[in-house]
Amino acid sequence: MDTDVLALRTLAQTYFDAAYEMDADKFASIFHPSSSVTKVADDGDVGVTPIATWLAVVRNTKAPKQRGMERDDEILSIDVERDLALLKVKLQVPPRHFTDLLSCLKVNGTWKIAQKVMTSKT
């Protein structure tokens, strides 16, 4: 398996573990500090949240692991073009089910999430 794909699979596993544990430090280790989270906001427009703000919310969210919930996460696709990659993943943080597109850049030899675009449903 290509080393970049292997590294991106490892990044995705860290992402899934961080979500299951609601571990902001684990998330911070794979997001670039200038990244953000983008979704359709409650008003129907595009909502962009800086990663530091999003991590603060994570710190105050009860983890699925703490609630005894089962995991349901999966890598749907990985697309790599030189120092750019797009991961499409699905996971759950009950009661919500998420589909996330993680735009990644290889920064100084390490893959980091530069942008998370997400949607969810209950």
Side-chain angles (χ1 to χ4, degrees), residues 4-106:
D4 285 324
V5 171
L6 185 59
L8 289 160
R9 286 186 172 281
T10 300
L11 181 145
Q13 189 59 54
T14 301
Y15 184 80
F16 294 145
D17 293 346
Y20 187 64
E21 299 162 10
M22 279 294 119
D23 187 329
D25 293 332
K26 200 171 277 188
F27 273 128
S29 75
I30 56 174
F31 277 87
H32 190 274
S34 68
S35 63
S36 60
V37 176
T38 303
K39 66 178 185 173
V40 175
D42 292 338
D43 65 3
D45 203 356
V46 173
V48 180
T49 304
I51 196 64
T53 303
W54 184 78
L55 290 172
V57 172
V58 168
R59 284 185 179 90
N60 292 308
T61 301
K62 188 159 180 150
K65 182 177 182 178
Q66 288 177 315
R67 297 185 297 177
M69 307 294 235
E70 291 200 28
R71 289 179 69 153
D72 181 20
D73 46 53
E74 178 183 359
I75 299 170
L76 300 174
S77 65
I78 298 175
D79 190 10
V80 182
E81 187 68 36
R82 294 182 298 279
D83 58 357
L84 170 69
L86 181 64
L87 279 68
K88 183 176 182 181
V89 300
K90 73 169 191 154
L91 65 151
Q92 69 174 357
V93 178
R96 305 203 70 75
H97 294 265
F98 295 89
T99 301
D100 297 343
L101 298 177
L102 306 174
S103 296
C104 302
L105 295 171
K106 196 171 189 179

